[in-house]
Amino acid sequence: MDLQLHGRVAAVAAASKGLGKAVALAMLQEGARVAICSRDPARIQAAAEDLRAATNGEVFPIVADLTTVEGCQHFIRSTVDHYDKLDILVTNAGGPPSGPADSFDDSAWQAALALNLLSTVRMVSEALPYLKGSDQGRVIAITSISAKQPLNNLVLSNATRAGVIGYIKTLANELGHTGITFNAVLPGWTRTARVDELLQNLAKARGLTPEQVEAGITAAIPARRMGRPDEFAAVVTFLASGRASYLNGVALQIDGGLSQSLL
Ligand code: NAD
């Protein structure tokens, strides 16, 4: 199947590593031209070099802090200045801290909202005029399975990511007539370096090995394993493709069957 991504311009946020970088790689493999961002100049430059070496594709690295209005605007404006158009926006950022629901003060809530909800709103707002000029406009918001099924000790993620789904579904409803599609993807346990680090930390805290912690987690996943970043990226790339033109307003979990929600 030709995914009709050749020559398309994709802005993939927070892509120096992990899920964002995997999405950028998959899109480059399909012939898209890609802009990526993160906060650290050396890391985003290194990621761009890795991606070019793996695909021979066009990658434009941008330094931007997505917790600020200016950072979100800078990411989108620099992408358009460089490529002269924008077809696809993949919103993404780091994860908020974990902790019990009653342990966070107002500034922690403000920070989580900026990182995981407002960054999405700000990138989309800046990108909309350009996406409206594309005949294959796509917005794909990376959130978390926590938006469908709250995770223990992760209230900041549970609350802010549900907001992203509400925002994306509203856009799908109000702007579906423009031809742009708006969808959200909800990763479950996906084996990035961040998850490796988390397994190490949980193992230390519980006096177990990382393998034992992982076995406890995967026992609850119908697939009995964690996902790979390339499996996640393949789904996002399909949603960005010309073939997904009638998929709009979906909140799609990519979790090996972990979420037990009926909808
Ligand atoms: P990661 O830590 O490997 O990568 C996060 C990326 O975000 C990095 O490139 C980092 O530089 C960038 N980043 C962080 N804060 C930023 C900021 N303020 N401005 C710009 N860039 C910033 O994480 P990941 O595993 O790839 O996860 C990506 C997102 O998906 C996170 O929000 C995470 O919580 C969520 N998620 C991941 C999983 C999983 O299993 N990997 C599961 C559910 C949800």
Side-chain angles (χ1 to χ4, degrees):
M1 187 191 284
D2 175 10
L3 295 181
Q4 301 165 357
L5 283 167
H6 194 84
R8 295 290 175 182
V9 172
V12 184
S16 68
K17 58 182 176 169
L19 301 180
K21 189 177 178 192
V23 168
L25 175 66
M27 293 212 182
L28 285 160
Q29 285 166 338
E30 293 298 324
R33 294 176 286 161
V34 170
I36 55 174
C37 78
S38 75
R39 285 163 300 179
D40 186 280
R43 286 197 188 142
I44 199 68
Q45 190 62 46
E49 279 160 25
D50 285 353
L51 292 166
R52 284 188 202 112
T55 62
N56 220 10
E58 274 186 62
V59 188
F60 183 55
I62 297 162
V63 177
D65 180 352
L66 298 171
T67 59
T68 67
V69 178
E70 298 73 26
C72 295
Q73 290 175 340
H74 174 64
F75 176 46
I76 302 302
R77 285 180 194 169
S78 305
T79 303
V80 177
D81 284 349
H82 184 76
Y83 287 120
D84 218 23
K85 66 172 191 152
L86 182 64
D87 299 296
I88 298 153
L89 170 63
V90 180
T91 65
N92 182 34
S98 57
D102 59 358
S103 68
F104 294 106
D105 62 13
D106 194 69
S107 67
W109 276 99
Q110 300 271 7
L113 282 166
L115 182 67
N116 291 119
L117 175 60
L118 292 178
S119 65
T120 310
V121 176
R122 289 164 176 165
M123 282 186 271
V124 171
S125 300
E126 195 63 31
L128 271 178
Y130 308 106
L131 296 173
K132 284 178 181 169
S134 168
D135 61 353
Q136 194 175 307
R138 301 278 183 272
V139 172
I140 299 132
I142 298 180
T143 65
S144 168
I145 196 65
S146 68
K148 280 208 175 169
Q149 183 168 304
L151 299 174
N152 285 341
N153 220 33
L154 272 173
V155 68
L156 296 178
S157 176
N158 299 340
T160 58
R161 295 183 197 276
V164 174
I165 308 289
Y167 175 61
I168 288 291
K169 287 209 171 230
T170 304
L171 289 172
N173 187 20
E174 292 185 3
L175 295 178
H177 66 91
T178 64
I180 305 171
T181 66
F182 299 88
N183 294 295
V185 282
L186 288 59
W189 285 96
T190 316
R191 200 68 192 254
T192 60
R194 180 173 186 268
V195 167
D196 280 340
E197 198 184 306
L198 189 70
L199 289 178
Q200 301 279 354
N201 293 342
L202 287 173
K204 251 187 225 158
R206 295 177 189 170
L208 299 168
T209 65
E211 291 73 23
Q212 286 169 320
V213 176
E214 183 178 0
I217 292 167
T218 55
I221 303 173
R224 296 290 183 268
R225 64 177 178 87
M226 292 193 182
R228 300 188 310 270
D230 68 288
E231 292 177 304
F232 173 82
V235 178
V236 176
T237 302
F238 175 72
L239 288 172
S241 76
R243 301 297 184 161
S245 45
Y246 203 55
L247 250 176
N248 193 25
V250 160
L252 182 62
Q253 62 267 38
I254 306 167
D255 65 352
L258 174 63
S259 166
Q260 300 298 313
S261 132
L262 290 180
L263 293 172

